[in-house]
């Protein structure tokens, strides 16, 4: 599991993640902790999540908290990626719906994806 410091900040984060995926792709899993670290990166968290899902979406470890974090902290793009790669594993709970409703930037779009 990687911390925010390991993922980097700003524009560096995407480059660091791309290098990590290039060098050690088999070891990279999208876990709750990785999603939280990306969510805290306001500068490039969306880009890091897109890169992770595009290259390692099949290795996502889906937990209720991971789904909540995506619904709460990311735009609809990240949720769409999760549903694309792991739709059968995603459980839409009351907490997930509340998290999406609390997403001030794109809650409406995230909610529409969840309900679709």
């Amino acid at each position: 599991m990687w911390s925010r410091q390991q993922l980097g900040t700003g524009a560096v984060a995407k480059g660091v993640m791309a290098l990590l995926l290039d060098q050690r792709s088999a070891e990279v899993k999208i876990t709750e902790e990785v999603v939280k670290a990306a969510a805290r990166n306001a500068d490039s968290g969306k880009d890091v999540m897109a890169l992770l899902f595009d290259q390692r979406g099949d290795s996502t470890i889906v937990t209720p908290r991971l789904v909540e974090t995506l619904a709460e902290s990311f735009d609809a793009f990240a949720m769409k990626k999760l549903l694309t790669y792991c739709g059968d594993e995603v459980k839409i709970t009351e907490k997930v719906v509340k998290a999406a409703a609390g997403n001030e930037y794109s809650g409406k779009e995230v909610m529409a994806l969840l309900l679709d």
Side-chain angles (χ1 to χ4, degrees):
M1 307 316 134
W2 295 275
S3 69
R4 182 171 189 228
Q5 290 78 21
Q6 290 168 311
L7 284 176
T9 59
V12 174
K14 185 176 178 183
V16 169
M17 186 54 69
L19 181 64
L20 180 63
L21 288 168
D22 185 51
Q23 301 276 323
R24 302 199 176 227
S25 180
E27 297 172 40
V28 177
K29 307 278 188 261
I30 302 174
T31 65
E32 181 180 329
E33 291 305 314
V34 171
V35 171
K36 286 179 183 178
R40 287 189 293 268
N41 187 330
D43 294 330
S44 60
K46 177 183 172 183
D47 293 332
V48 169
M49 286 308 304
L51 183 65
L52 283 167
F53 278 125
D54 285 340
Q55 292 194 20
R56 299 296 297 154
D58 59 337
S59 71
T60 303
I61 301 168
V62 179
T63 65
R65 186 64 191 136
L66 174 125
V67 180
E68 291 168 32
T69 301
L70 283 173
E72 174 181 68
S73 304
F74 288 93
D75 62 11
F77 179 79
M79 184 57 71
K80 187 173 184 177
K81 291 281 188 181
L82 177 69
L83 292 169
T84 298
Y85 289 107
C86 308
D88 293 342
E89 298 174 54
V90 176
K91 303 296 181 231
I92 301 170
T93 65
E94 182 179 343
K95 287 182 177 182
V96 170
V97 172
K98 285 181 178 180
N103 182 332
E104 63 186 73
Y105 299 105
S106 59
K108 182 178 177 180
E109 292 85 5
V110 171
M111 189 72 72
L113 279 173
L114 293 173
L115 295 174
D116 202 17

